[in-house]
Amino acid sequence: MHSKPVLLVIAHGSRDPRHAATVHALVERVRSLRPGLRVETGFLDFNVPSVHGVLESLAAQGVRDVVALPLLLTRAFHAKADIPAVLRDAPPRLRIRQAEVLGPSPLLLSALERRLYEAGLTPADKSSTGVVLASAGSSDPEAIAVIADIAREWWHTGWCAVRPAFASASLPRTEDAVRELRALGCERVAVAPYVLAPGFLPDRIARGAAGANVLADVLGPAPEVARLLLERYDAASLPVRAAIGA
């Protein structure tokens, strides 16, 4: 028996093998930060194990308490509909709490900056660099508004300008935001993908960054992201009392 709730990281899944590899690398980093915590990974689509399969396995092993953490940056459709539906279908013996999505968080801004510096920028470049905050995109107005808020907040930390862009469902596209920052007169333009793992939409962001000076890597297993997963887990697991669908 585990006295602490099991952390179940719920990833979207992708046909692109880089996606699952990046998710597993992030989960390994979470395990290394908290060795006593049991961390499992389940996918909504395309990859195994499925979320339902992991939940069935945990129940069969006698686990009682689970914190389900959506590996998502915004509260869009998956967090509001897909994931709660999957969790409601879990074995009844499990007490499950759904943690908050990862964004927004100061830790994510730190991870974005880490990736930009790894790609060649320095803190001294901030005031002369315009940044495209390039997200996957969503048809959910709340998720779109959050990305715009993050861009404004990030701009206030000293960048020349920060513009949101979207790879799908919303405008502007990455290449449009790059052109806008050029027109504003920023000395250099950098694209920061606000995505967790490689895949179809991150590849579209990369193509849209062709006119930029710098393209950062996806957030992936950045240490700040791993710490954020544990923050969300801790907030959801104290106390573990409300069962989903109870």
Side-chain angles (χ1 to χ4, degrees), residues 52 55-60 87-96:
H52 185 73
L55 292 170
E56 292 276 358
S57 175
L58 290 173
L87 297 180
R88 278 194 297 272
D89 199 29
R93 64 166 285 116
L94 292 175
R95 291 189 294 249
I96 304 174

Side-chain angles (χ1 to χ4, degrees), residues 46-58:
F46 302 117
N47 302 102
V48 292
S50 68
V51 176
H52 185 73
V54 175
L55 292 170
E56 292 276 358
S57 175
L58 290 173

Side-chain angles (χ1 to χ4, degrees), residues 36-51:
L37 176 63
R38 181 173 178 182
V39 189
E40 300 290 344
T41 310
F43 295 91
L44 289 173
D45 211 349
F46 302 117
N47 302 102
V48 292
S50 68
V51 176

Side-chain angles (χ1 to χ4, degrees), residues 57-227:
S57 175
L58 290 173
Q61 293 166 40
V63 169
R64 290 285 289 163
D65 294 310
V66 176
V67 169
L69 196 159
L71 201 58
L72 299 168
L73 296 174
T74 57
R75 269 185 53 72
F77 180 78
H78 293 300
K80 294 176 178 177
D82 283 5
I83 291 173
V86 172
L87 297 180
R88 278 194 297 272
D89 199 29
R93 64 166 285 116
L94 292 175
R95 291 189 294 249
I96 304 174
R97 299 197 77 188
Q98 183 176 330
E100 287 298 321
V101 297
L102 299 180
S105 165
L107 283 169
L108 290 174
L109 289 182
S110 297
L112 286 165
E113 295 207 351
R114 170 190 291 274
R115 293 299 189 229
L116 284 171
Y117 297 149
E118 288 170 352
L121 292 181
T122 71
D125 296 325
K126 279 186 91 163
S127 62
S128 56
T129 302
V131 179
V132 179
L133 180 68
S135 84
S138 173
S139 55
D140 187 304
E142 180 190 349
I144 297 302
V146 166
I147 300 298
D149 288 344
I150 293 167
R152 276 193 296 273
E153 180 186 341
W154 202 16
W155 171 58
H156 287 303
T157 68
W159 295 100
C160 171
V162 180
R163 292 289 185 272
F166 306 95
S168 69
S170 325
L171 295 172
R173 293 283 179 258
T174 302
E175 51 269 35
D176 302 325
V178 169
R179 280 194 292 270
E180 184 186 346
L181 291 169
R182 290 261 182 244
L184 274 176
C186 296
E187 198 174 301
R188 69 186 67 74
V189 175
V191 173
Y194 190 61
V195 292
L196 285 164
F200 175 73
L201 293 177
D203 283 350
R204 183 181 283 177
I205 289 170
R207 289 193 298 274
N213 302 94
V214 172
L215 170 63
D217 199 359
V218 298
L219 294 169
E224 296 85 356
V225 180
R227 283 168 49 208

Side-chain angles (χ1 to χ4, degrees), residues 13-29:
S14 170
R15 291 186 179 90
D16 188 321
R18 296 172 299 165
H19 173 90
T22 303
V23 170
H24 290 310
L26 173 58
V27 168
E28 278 306 315
R29 178 155 257 168

